């Protein structure tokens, strides 16, 4: 049962990697979501039409998944709205300050063997592990 | 042409996120909860993604230019500085609080998912604040 779970996870991951590879080979760019979205929102924008198209693709991915599999992807959000707002602000601010997120530093940066990205991934993994430990095991309940 | 490529890559990326379980904060938090009933499956997501992405990167090194544009536009910075580490640390705290990172947040917007939309709007506000001079 878990085995099927892990294979599906690996297949999904390989599609993500394929998208990053194609975006690089065809459009010559790194598929970093925070950079692509942030480029649309701030003054540092370049290649805005391409950015908008990539984001549109992400928005349409859920409906495409529904069309292909007959069901919506599972999304279980336990956090309250104030926690979601705080978390969203931290993720938005932090990914722009640190120039990347799970995709730009993780999927693309690690593949490019970038030490800078490896340092970023190690940092956000550690603070995420600590945050979950504190909210789930020290504060009890939480998200 | 490169607009169509970007749209297709966004669709593929989001489909991969949905298939892998990354769009489900419960799964992500299960992975981040080392002291709980740990769910290792996100290692397979990252492993699958990085290995295919790595092959693409190796292939790109043999090309003088991308197929649809004039030149490669890759990050050039190598410094591991306070901005990088501070930003990554803040991002990790937010990721650990909600279980959502930027890609899944945008995909969940497309699911008309109320809680995901609250997160996504706050995330875009955070990005805007950072970009202010």
């Amino acid at each position: 049962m878990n085995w099927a779970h892990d294979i599906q996870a690996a297949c999904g991951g390989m599609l993500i990697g394929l998208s990053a590879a194609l975006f690089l080979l065809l459009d010559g760019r790194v598929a970093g979501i925070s950079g692509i979205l942030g480029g649309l929102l701030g003054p540092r924008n370049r290649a805005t039409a391409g950015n908008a198209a990539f984001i549109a693709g992400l928005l349409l991915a859920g409906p495409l998944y529904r069309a292909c599999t007959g069901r919506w992807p599972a999304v279980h959000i336990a956090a309250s709205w104030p926690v979601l707002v705080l978390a969203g602000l931290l993720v938005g601010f932090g990914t722009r300050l640190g120039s990347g997120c799970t995709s730009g530093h993780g999927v693309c940066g690690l593949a490019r063997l970038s030490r800078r990205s490896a340092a970023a991934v190690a940092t956000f993994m550690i603070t995420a592990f600590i945050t979950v430990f504190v909210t789930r095991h020290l504060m009890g309940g939480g998200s | 042409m490169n607009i169509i490529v970007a749209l297709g890559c966004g669709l593929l990326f989001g489909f991969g996120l949905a298939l892998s379980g990354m769009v489900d904060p419960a799964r992500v938090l299960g992975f981040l909860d080392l002291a709980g009933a740990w769910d290792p499956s996100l290692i397979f997501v990252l492993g699958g993604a990085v290995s295919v992405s790595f092959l693409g990167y190796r292939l790109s090194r043999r090309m003088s230019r991308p197929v649809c544009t004039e030149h490669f536009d890759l990050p050039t910075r190598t410094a591991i500085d306070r901005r990088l580490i501070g930003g990554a640390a803040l991002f990790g705290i937010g990721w650990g609080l909600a279980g959502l990172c930027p890609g899944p947040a945008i995909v969940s917007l497309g699911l008309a998912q109320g809680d995901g939309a609250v997160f996504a709007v706050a995330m875009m506000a955070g990005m805007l604040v950072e970009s202010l001079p």
Side-chain angles (χ1 to χ4, degrees), chain A residues 79-142:
Chain A
S80 63
W81 280 25
V83 171
L84 287 172
V85 169
L86 174 65
L89 288 170
L90 286 169
V91 168
F93 189 89
T95 52
R96 292 303 280 157
L97 185 66
S99 311
C101 58
T102 352
S103 52
H105 282 314
V107 176
C108 300
L110 294 182
R112 295 173 57 237
L113 307 178
S114 157
R115 286 180 58 205
R116 184 175 143 84
S117 287
V121 172
T123 304
F124 68 64
M125 292 301 296
I126 288 169
T127 58
F129 283 136
I130 292 172
T131 302
V132 172
F133 184 76
V134 169
T135 54
R136 286 200 167 177
H137 300 286
L138 298 186
M139 292 161 63

Side-chain angles (χ1 to χ4, degrees), chain A residues 9-10 13-14 17 107 110, chain B residues 41-54:
Chain A
M14 288 193 284
V107 176
L110 294 182
Chain B
S41 60
L42 292 204
I43 287 186
F44 295 97
V45 182
L46 191 65
V50 171
S51 49
V52 177
S53 173
F54 176 75

Side-chain angles (χ1 to χ4, degrees), chain A residues 25-117:
Chain A
L25 295 170
L26 299 176
D27 275 3
R29 297 179 58 196
V30 165
I33 309 300
S34 58
I36 291 171
L37 180 61
L40 286 172
L41 296 171
R44 290 177 227 158
N45 52 0
R46 292 176 301 168
T48 310
N51 289 16
F54 196 104
I55 297 299
L58 283 177
L59 287 170
L60 293 170
L64 175 71
Y65 184 87
R66 171 85 164 83
C68 293
T69 67
R71 59 199 155 81
W72 293 101
V75 179
H76 305 97
I77 298 180
S80 63
W81 280 25
V83 171
L84 287 172
V85 169
L86 174 65
L89 288 170
L90 286 169
V91 168
F93 189 89
T95 52
R96 292 303 280 157
L97 185 66
S99 311
C101 58
T102 352
S103 52
H105 282 314
V107 176
C108 300
L110 294 182
R112 295 173 57 237
L113 307 178
S114 157
R115 286 180 58 205
R116 184 175 143 84
S117 287

Side-chain angles (χ1 to χ4, degrees), chain A residues 20-30 47 50-51 53-54, chain B residues 1-7 9 63 65-74:
Chain A
L22 289 174
F23 198 48
L24 175 66
L25 295 170
L26 299 176
D27 275 3
R29 297 179 58 196
V30 165
N51 289 16
F54 196 104
Chain B
M1 182 60 197
N2 52 8
I3 306 285
I4 294 165
V5 169
L7 179 70
C9 286
M63 295 161 60
R65 48 166 284 186
V67 177
C68 303
T69 49
E70 296 295 310
H71 50 79
F72 286 104
D73 182 12
L74 298 176

Side-chain angles (χ1 to χ4, degrees), chain B:
Chain B
M1 182 60 197
N2 52 8
I3 306 285
I4 294 165
V5 169
L7 179 70
C9 286
L11 265 174
L12 187 60
F13 200 105
F15 192 92
L17 287 173
L19 185 66
S20 69
M22 273 294 284
V23 295
D24 187 357
R27 286 278 294 281
V28 175
L29 293 175
F31 167 74
L32 293 174
D33 189 5
L34 294 175
W38 189 54
D39 175 357
S41 60
L42 292 204
I43 287 186
F44 295 97
V45 182
L46 191 65
V50 171
S51 49
V52 177
S53 173
F54 176 75
L55 294 176
Y57 179 66
R58 299 299 293 184
L59 188 57
S60 78
R61 304 262 294 188
R62 297 165 174 231
M63 295 161 60
S64 57
R65 48 166 284 186
V67 177
C68 303
T69 49
E70 296 295 310
H71 50 79
F72 286 104
D73 182 12
L74 298 176
T76 51
R77 274 178 290 172
T78 54
I80 298 172
D81 52 19
R82 290 224 298 254
R83 271 180 71 92
L84 178 82
I85 300 301
L90 292 177
F91 162 47
I93 294 170
W95 192 33
L97 283 175
L100 284 163
C101 54
I106 301 168
V107 172
S108 71
L109 258 187
L111 305 176
Q113 222 278 350
D115 292 343
V118 169
F119 178 91
V121 170
M123 178 181 82
M124 289 188 265
M127 288 180 166
L128 262 176
V129 169
E130 200 281 324
S131 73
L132 297 177

